[in-house]
Amino acid sequence: MATQRKVIITCAVTGAIHTPSMSPHLPVTPEEIIESAVAAAEAGASILHLHARDPETGKPTQDPAVFEKFLPQIKEATGAVINLTTGGSPHMTVEERMRPAVEFQPELASLNMGSINFGLFPMLQRFNTFKHEWEREHLEKSHDLVFKNTFADIEKIMTMCSKNGTRFECECYDIGHLYSLRNIMDRGIIDGTLFIQSVFGILGGIGPHPEDVLHMRRTADRLFGSDYQWSVLGAGSSQMRIASQAAAMGGNVRVGLEDSLWLGPGKLAESNASQVNKARELLEGLSLPVATPDEARSMLGLKGGDKVGF
């Protein structure tokens, strides 16, 4: 009898897209990030994807000193795979963005597979009152913003982090990013089983239509065969719909307040754990078991939580 496949749930705890004025439930301080991450792991998240924020203003930061205030506690309390961002914020330089992953040598780090327009300004139609001056500017500036990740940037981050045994959540916002990743593999920059995270619904990238999901999956299959693990994230209201479709197609799922503030139409998610629980319900309805952190490590070929730098 064939072994039933397990599904990895990634929870992206806070991110850099949403701002504190958009939801009172968005984790900002190290204490809030710890509490939210631990609860998400207890709800069933195999991987915790972590950003940091200035505890006073909620502005995204890649200062390793801020990460240091929550990484050891989360590692000790959960056993989950910890995945650090190299994306940081679209407004940061590549050198800023890669600092935490280089310093803390995590098992997994996120890495965008190309430069894209990154339009957050449509959120100004929904949100127009802000607590902090930077929040409105953060959204307005995205009207004239390229989130830069050139081939040189990607190779620099991959090379430096791979020396520490860190593997990558390769974030693909469009079809061209899959071809770029294939080229990077062909040139020997990285090898082994890929973890491809297809991102749907960011203005500037591929849309959230079911046909877009199918197109991403079919293209990845053609380029990488069976030598990869596929995961999806849907931005905003498409989060659970895309998760359901991808899980039924053999994929893994990512949820969390980085990607969507919502649990349902007009209903804010009160925690990351609530989204993880909803994802578990979807998977259980499809008779798909959730991977434990150690099962996720095996599926992705990770080095183990005892070999990180925190």
Side-chain angles (χ1 to χ4, degrees):
M1 184 175 177
T3 302
Q4 188 175 19
R5 75 177 179 93
K6 302 290 182 72
V7 179
I8 297 169
I9 298 178
T10 296
C11 182
V13 174
T14 188
I17 292 175
H18 298 114
T19 73
S21 298
M22 296 178 182
S23 172
H25 310 298
L26 185 70
V28 169
T29 68
E31 295 76 19
E32 290 169 346
I33 291 171
I34 292 168
E35 180 181 4
S36 195
V38 170
E42 290 174 345
S46 324
I47 298 173
L48 298 171
H49 174 57
L50 301 175
H51 287 239
R53 291 176 179 266
D54 182 301
E56 298 298 324
T57 66
K59 188 174 184 178
T61 178
Q62 289 293 88
D63 184 351
V66 182
F67 280 82
E68 200 164 21
K69 293 178 180 178
F70 56 76
L71 287 178
Q73 295 90 329
I74 293 172
K75 175 189 171 186
E76 183 178 356
T78 67
V81 176
I82 292 179
N83 170 359
L84 295 187
T85 179
T86 68
S89 163
H91 305 287
M92 298 175 181
T93 66
V94 173
E95 288 69 27
E96 286 179 278
R97 292 195 268 122
M98 65 191 292
R99 287 179 65 200
V102 171
E103 179 160 334
F104 295 112
Q105 305 174 25
E107 294 183 79
L108 198 60
S110 67
L111 179 55
N112 295 355
M113 289 295 107
S115 303
I116 62 167
N117 292 330
F118 206 85
L120 304 178
F121 59 90
M123 286 195 282
L124 288 166
Q125 298 170 18
R126 180 185 289 267
F127 303 101
N128 50 37
T129 303
F130 300 100
K131 303 174 188 174
H132 305 288
E133 188 174 318
W134 72 268
E135 296 178 85
R136 182 180 298 279
E137 183 181 0
H138 166 72
L139 301 178
E140 288 175 341
K141 280 189 172 180
S142 72
H143 195 260
D144 186 26
L145 175 70
V146 173
F147 197 164
K148 177 180 174 290
N149 255 39
T150 65
F151 285 107
D153 296 334
I154 294 166
E155 291 164 23
K156 179 178 181 180
I157 293 171
M158 281 186 167
T159 301
M160 291 190 70
C161 292
S162 293
K163 290 176 183 177
N164 299 322
T166 298
R167 295 195 63 79
F168 299 94
E169 174 197 13
C170 299
E171 295 195 342
C172 296
Y173 289 75
D174 219 332
I175 294 298
H177 290 179
L178 293 172
Y179 283 90
S180 295
L181 180 55
R182 179 70 262 178
N183 174 268
I184 288 164
M185 284 203 78
D186 290 343
R187 289 188 289 119
I189 307 299
I190 57 167
D191 55 16
T193 300
L194 294 174
F195 185 33
I196 296 177
Q197 187 74 255
S198 294
V199 182
F200 300 93
I202 295 292
L203 183 61
I206 198 167
H209 193 278
E211 288 292 337
D212 295 323
V213 181
L214 288 168
H215 187 34
M216 270 281 202
R217 178 60 157 169
R218 286 190 291 249
T219 304
D221 283 347
R222 177 163 45 79
L223 292 175
F224 304 104
S226 60
D227 197 24
Y228 78 105
Q229 286 286 340
W230 183 52
S231 183
V232 299
L233 74 87
S237 62
S238 67
Q239 183 183 69
M240 295 298 170
R241 182 175 67 253
I242 289 176
S244 301
Q245 180 183 358
M249 295 167 58
N252 304 289
V253 302
R254 176 171 137 172
V255 295
L257 296 178
E258 171 172 355
D259 306 327
S260 175
L261 297 174
W262 308 95
L263 195 62
K267 180 177 174 58
L268 286 172
E270 295 186 3
S271 67
N272 279 288
S274 66
Q275 291 187 351
V276 175
N277 281 325
K278 188 166 185 179
R280 282 191 73 112
E281 291 172 5
L282 292 173
L283 296 173
E284 289 165 359
L286 295 169
S287 299
L288 294 171
V290 175
T292 66
D294 284 341
E295 287 169 336
R297 289 182 171 97
S298 177
M299 292 165 68
L300 300 176
L302 304 182
K303 64 183 178 179
D306 59 333
K307 295 181 176 64
V308 298
F310 55 92

